[in-house]
Amino acid sequence: QVQLVESGGGLVQVGGSLRLSCTVSGRTFTSFAMGWFRRAPGKEREFVATITRSGGSKYYADSVKGRFTISRDNAKNTVYLQMNSLKPEDTAVYYCAADSGLFDSSNWKESKYDYWGQGTQVTVSS
């Protein structure tokens, strides 16, 4: 059984930083491309970032480009989301997700992902 467990969320001030982690178990980590999504209060879940199996390619939503960095450590079965220069509009529940299919131009879509974590709350206060 594949499990994804996120950690690292919390309360941070505007301009601050947080690093989210997501550890995967139950299947070979390198069989997954990984993604981060978020759901802000009253909004639908949206794409944040995605990374290929090797970590060689990364893609970001325009809203976080230049501020967030996705990375992975295949030896630790973990994907990270480093979030810098945080804004109040970054407040959301953040979810990691695993895609066992072929990485392609649709990896920003929720439907591409087979497994999801439970989410971790990030609150940015002004």
Side-chain angles (χ1 to χ4, degrees):
Q1 182 179 359
V2 177
Q3 290 189 315
L4 284 68
V5 179
E6 300 107 331
S7 61
L11 175 65
V12 64
Q13 291 188 331
V14 169
S17 298
L18 280 176
R19 187 176 81 157
L20 306 182
S21 300
C22 171
T23 300
V24 179
S25 61
R27 189 166 159 182
T28 303
F29 184 57
T30 51
S31 65
F32 297 120
M34 298 298 297
W36 285 97
F37 291 77
R38 67 186 182 185
R39 179 182 281 130
K43 296 187 177 181
E44 294 189 352
R45 190 157 55 185
E46 65 176 4
F47 168 74
V48 175
T50 186
I51 187 168
T52 55
R53 287 166 177 75
S54 67
S57 295
K58 309 169 186 181
Y59 301 92
Y60 300 92
D62 287 344
S63 59
V64 306
K65 204 171 293 183
R67 300 187 298 122
F68 290 11
T69 302
I70 188 171
S71 63
R72 64 190 293 161
D73 185 336
N74 288 341
K76 295 183 178 180
N77 296 345
T78 301
V79 62
Y80 303 98
L81 186 68
Q82 177 66 44
M83 305 185 294
N84 298 329
S85 303
L86 283 160
K87 305 175 181 180
E89 51 264 43
D90 295 318
T91 295
V93 178
Y94 284 72
Y95 300 89
C96 69
D99 168 25
S100 63
L102 183 66
F103 189 94
D104 58 28
S105 59
S106 65
N107 265 78
W108 60 272
K109 296 182 179 179
E110 289 186 50
S111 58
K112 275 282 290 176
Y113 294 84
D114 308 291
Y115 305 99
W116 292 82
Q118 81 287 352
T120 186
Q121 176 71 47
V122 171
T123 303
V124 184
S125 67
S126 55

